[in-house]
Amino acid sequence: MPLALTGYEIGLLAVACVFIAFALVAALVVPRARPDFPARRLGVFVAVCIALFLAQMTAVLVLAEIGEADEPVHGEAAPTETTGTETTGTGTTETTETTETTETETTETETETTETETTETAEGGAGDPAAGKQVFETAGCVSCHTLSDAGATGTVGPNLDQAQPPAELVVDRVTNGQGVMPPFKDSLSEQQIQDVAAYVSSVTG
């Protein structure tokens, strides 16, 4: 399609058509009218052939360079046009926006680490071993149990240094009692029971 050709392509096509037309006329048309062609005009015929050949090669070289200069650079991206429709009170107006691609800067977000303070609890639960030692010494525990840390040497109840009871067991025995050991839930508060349990379990390991 000629309409789809560029300027330099049309120039190349024109020179080629002249060359081809001359070749067809010299090979098919003229020999019918003059069988002895080119006869005495052989020099002219050769000169015309050389001239057309040079013209064709010149057109290929020169016009090709011009065509390459006119071609857009490969890889160059054209801006993207976005067509939007804007509706107003009087009608619909079409607007064309050019979208530009910009680099997005990524910023590092600093994450603040929240330090959580942990509350140190004594081994054996929520009781206070220091307060539990006072309960152990004043509630009558020293007279029944053996516990080296408190200087107790009682033999009525279990030897706590040997039994090494966990805090949960101490809480249960002090609260509810067992065997010869009476319950202390009425004479000691829940906090005092937790304290003495923490003390016994901490010093016995």
Side-chain angles (χ1 to χ4, degrees), residues 56-141:
Q56 180 68 47
M57 296 304 298
T58 302
V60 170
L61 297 176
V62 176
L63 296 179
E65 291 180 0
I66 297 175
E68 290 179 358
D70 292 339
E71 290 181 355
V73 179
H74 294 290
E76 182 177 353
T80 304
E81 294 186 356
T82 303
T83 303
T85 303
E86 181 180 356
T87 305
T88 60
T90 58
T92 302
T93 304
E94 293 185 355
T95 59
T96 301
E97 297 179 356
T98 301
T99 303
E100 296 181 357
T101 304
T102 58
E103 295 182 357
T104 303
E105 296 181 357
T106 304
T107 58
E108 295 183 357
T109 304
E110 296 182 356
T111 304
E112 297 182 357
T113 304
T114 303
E115 296 182 357
T116 304
E117 296 182 357
T118 58
T119 303
E120 294 183 359
T121 59
E123 181 180 356
D128 181 6
K133 184 175 182 179
Q134 295 180 356
V135 175
F136 188 88
E137 294 173 344
T138 58
C141 302

